[in-house]
Amino acid sequence: EQVASALAKAHGLGIVHRDLKPENVMLVRKDDYPDFVKVLDFGIAKVPVESLSGQEIQTGQGLTRMGVMYGTPEYMAPEQAMGTGVDHRADLYALGVMLFEMITGERPFDAENVISLVTMHIVEPPPPLSSRLPAGVSLPDGVEQLVAQLLEKDRERRVQTARELADRIRSILGTPAPPSAVAPGSPPPPEVAPLELPLAASPTAHAVTAVGEHGLVVAGPGATVQLPAPRWQGELQALRRDLEQLRSRLPPPLARLPLAVFPGAFAALLLLIVIVVASPRGGTAAPAASAGPAAPAAPRQLLDEDIEKASREGPAALEKLQEQFPDDRRLTRALLRAYHEARRPLDAIRALGALARQEKPERGLLADDLVLQVIRAATEGPPEAADAAFTLLEGSFGEEGIELLYTFWTAKKDVSEKTRSRAGKSLARPEVKERGAKGTQALIDLRVMPASCETRRQGVLQALEAGDQRAVPLLQALTSKRGCGRFNFQDCWGCLRRDNKLNDAIKAAGQRPPP
């Protein structure tokens, strides 16, 4: 709850941390509270520099670029892992990973290499919180739902603000809000003379703990530093004083108007003067402009023509568009094609992961020729692209992904030995096999090597229940009572002779067409 409250302060300033993790949350003693939270290390934070400094920043591009990842992979939000634009909800995803870890003692996703780990964040559904708890351990009502909502791949479905998260935690625990660095309605902090930090001190290991009229209060090792207020803040206070003086000189009815009315009224009067002066003499007067606030402009729509134009210019132009429209499926498909044509298999697989998430309600994505070309190019490409492609097939596409892995494993041509072997290793993992259809699970159990007789029996029972014609040759091979022992005269699969299940499975599977 304290971490969420600290993020609410930062997010209120437009600051996104982007590297929230346990190492960046410290517990310190404050007054009578031994575990007072400080959120540290805003070293790669996304900061609205122009707003905070009051200076115009002349730059040809933003602070971050599409396709560049910032952060720690174990706690990285899907949109951050794909290198697309991030907002404050990326921090809430990271906090969801931390909350999962605090409750269960382990993170929701772990992998042997960074590429696989990042891809899991993009495409792999998080495990239920209760599945990682010891038997007999229960959670307060609402905890599992809250963690699952924080770990949503689609940021529109997550908890939307840090303040909402803090409120929900307090509601679950039934506790009042604890004291914070700056309580609502408290007086501004006293002015503090700026302190010079030693050059050896890390400039990023400081936490924003309060925001007030005097600037940002930053906590560091053994010291509290008062940064000067941004220039716009002083100018705003000076404008307020001037308006107060102007109002005091007006007649009583006008002097009672709210202060916020005066800038708008002055702007409307100035606009009217400009219209009158600019109008042609003797012409018809233009209708008076409304003195009220202007209606907000309608949000710009992304047109097919925009995507076609960017596609002709190449991936960089499409990436720039995606910063504005991160959830547009047409744009993701265009990026997928552009990356594939530019022979960038890893970027293409990341785009495919995003597309799989966007089109999840739709089936048959793996039947798309472009998608199959992207996957084949990645599996036969550099190791990091192959890792990402196999992770995607193992988790994101459900039964269709397992079916394609089986196709790779059993292919006689057009697939390299490297890809066949990798597909076989994937399907040998129980958690991967179980995502396949029952018929495909039967085929895996009938083929996987090395295998015990009980493994083959499991395949026979699955084939009896849901096997199709593809299983018939494999089942018939099990009817032979030779092939093992010193001279290959012994029965390899004696456990299958207990009953007539094998023959029943051959008959049942032969009546079912393949998918």
Side-chain angles (χ1 to χ4, degrees):
E1 184 275 333
Q2 290 189 58
V3 175
S5 297
L7 288 178
K9 282 291 184 184
H11 294 168
L13 290 168
I15 298 172
V16 183
H17 192 291
R18 298 200 301 185
D19 195 21
L20 192 65
K21 55 187 175 181
E23 291 88 338
N24 288 338
V25 176
M26 294 294 175
L27 301 179
V28 301
R29 176 176 292 278
K30 181 178 174 65
D31 300 328
D32 295 329
Y33 299 95
D35 290 336
F36 189 85
V37 165
K38 297 285 186 180
V39 178
L40 310 180
D41 200 352
F42 285 74
I44 63 168
K46 181 179 180 183
V47 182
V49 181
E50 299 90 336
S51 299
L52 292 179
S53 67
Q55 299 176 4
E56 278 192 34
I57 306 299
Q58 300 296 332
T59 178
Q61 58 183 8
L63 293 178
T64 60
R65 294 184 293 113
M66 170 69 182
V68 178
M69 291 191 304
Y70 295 86
T72 301
E74 288 80 1
Y75 302 90
M76 192 174 289
E79 64 271 19
Q80 189 174 359
M82 289 187 293
T84 59
V86 300
D87 59 20
H88 63 280
R89 290 170 291 186
D91 289 345
L92 299 182
Y93 182 93
L95 191 49
V97 177
M98 291 171 58
L99 186 53
F100 190 106
E101 186 177 7
M102 291 168 71
I103 293 172
T104 67
E106 57 188 43
R107 292 183 290 269
F109 302 118
D110 271 309
E112 295 178 357
N113 58 71
V114 171
I115 297 299
S116 296
L117 179 59
V118 167
T119 307
M120 291 173 76
H121 278 291
I122 295 173
V123 303
E124 186 85 5
L129 193 63
S130 55
S131 69
R132 300 288 183 88
L133 294 175
V137 175
S138 60
L139 293 169
D141 292 340
V143 172
E144 184 150 13
Q145 180 184 3
L146 177 61
V147 174
Q149 194 173 354
L150 285 169
L151 295 178
E152 282 282 358
K153 307 295 184 189
D154 183 354
R155 57 186 170 188
E156 297 297 333
R157 299 177 62 184
R158 284 180 213 150
V159 178
Q160 292 296 293
T161 67
R163 181 58 58 202
E164 177 192 348
L165 173 58
D167 291 342
R168 287 181 62 176
I169 292 173
R170 288 196 296 268
S171 175
I172 289 171
L173 297 179
T175 58
S180 60
V182 178
S186 61
E191 292 202 32
V192 180
L195 300 179
E196 292 186 4
L197 293 176
L199 292 179
S202 166
T204 62
H206 297 81
V208 176
T209 59
V211 183
E213 295 181 6
H214 304 283
L216 304 181
V217 179
V218 179
T224 298
V225 182
Q226 178 74 45
L227 301 183
R231 187 180 67 187
W232 60 264
Q233 197 165 309
E235 293 174 350
L236 185 62
Q237 292 173 353
L239 176 60
R240 182 182 180 88
R241 288 193 297 269
D242 292 342
L243 289 174
E244 289 279 9
Q245 291 179 4
L246 173 63
R247 185 170 63 174
S248 65
R249 298 173 187 171
L250 295 174
L254 295 179
R256 287 194 291 270
L257 289 174
L259 198 62
V261 170
F262 286 85
F266 178 76
L269 179 60
L270 181 61
L271 177 61
L272 183 60
I273 293 172
V274 170
I275 291 173
V276 171
V277 172
S279 297
R281 294 181 184 274
T284 304
S290 170
R300 176 176 177 266
Q301 298 294 320
L302 181 64
L303 304 177
D304 290 340
E305 294 78 12
D306 298 328
I307 299 176
E308 291 172 5
K309 180 177 181 295
S311 296
R312 289 193 295 271
E313 295 175 5
L318 289 167
E319 290 168 352
K320 189 173 181 181
L321 265 185
Q322 194 174 56
E323 292 178 1
Q324 304 174 53
F325 305 97
D327 300 319
D328 191 285
R329 295 190 300 177
R330 298 168 299 163
L331 189 53
T332 307
R333 278 187 172 273
L335 258 175
L336 177 69
R337 181 176 296 279
Y339 286 140
H340 179 61
E341 292 175 351
R343 297 187 179 183
R344 293 166 57 178
L346 181 56
D347 287 329
I349 284 295
R350 287 174 178 165
L352 179 57
L355 187 63
R357 193 169 64 255
Q358 291 169 346
E359 299 190 358
K360 192 171 184 179
E362 301 178 8
R363 294 291 181 181
L365 186 58
L366 288 183
D368 188 304
D369 286 342
L370 174 62
V371 171
L372 286 174
Q373 291 172 24
V374 167
I375 291 176
R376 285 182 178 276
T379 56
E380 302 288 352
E384 61 271 17
D387 288 343
F390 277 103
T391 302
L392 199 63
L393 290 175
E394 290 166 3
S396 181
F397 290 103
E399 292 182 359
E400 291 177 303
I402 306 306
E403 193 69 40
L404 186 56
L405 284 173
Y406 182 80
T407 301
F408 286 162
W409 183 36
T410 58
K412 302 298 183 183
K413 58 181 181 178
D414 298 329
V415 174
S416 70
E417 180 57 34
K418 178 191 74 170
T419 298
R420 277 197 294 270
S421 175
R422 177 68 183 271
K425 289 178 180 178
S426 293
L427 295 174
R429 291 162 51 196
E431 68 273 16
V432 174
K433 183 190 73 173
E434 289 169 2
R435 296 190 182 107
K438 290 292 185 182
T440 306
Q441 291 184 37
L443 292 171
I444 295 169
D445 282 337
L446 292 172
R447 276 185 178 274
V448 69
M449 294 293 290
S452 65
C453 189
E454 289 303 322
T455 300
R456 290 291 186 259
R457 182 170 177 80
Q458 180 64 30
V460 168
L461 296 177
Q462 296 230 25
L464 176 61
E465 177 186 351
D468 54 60
Q469 292 169 1
R470 296 174 297 170
V472 171
L474 301 174
L475 292 167
Q476 290 175 335
L478 298 177
T479 61
S480 172
K481 297 181 181 180
R482 295 186 177 186
C484 290
R486 184 172 182 181
F487 298 104
N488 293 330
F489 289 156
Q490 295 181 13
D491 190 350
C492 300
W493 318 112
C495 68
L496 301 182
R497 319 302 170 207
R498 300 175 194 162
D499 48 38
N500 203 39
K501 297 293 186 186
L502 178 57
N503 291 328
D504 292 343
I506 293 172
K507 182 177 179 180
Q511 296 174 352
R512 300 187 189 107

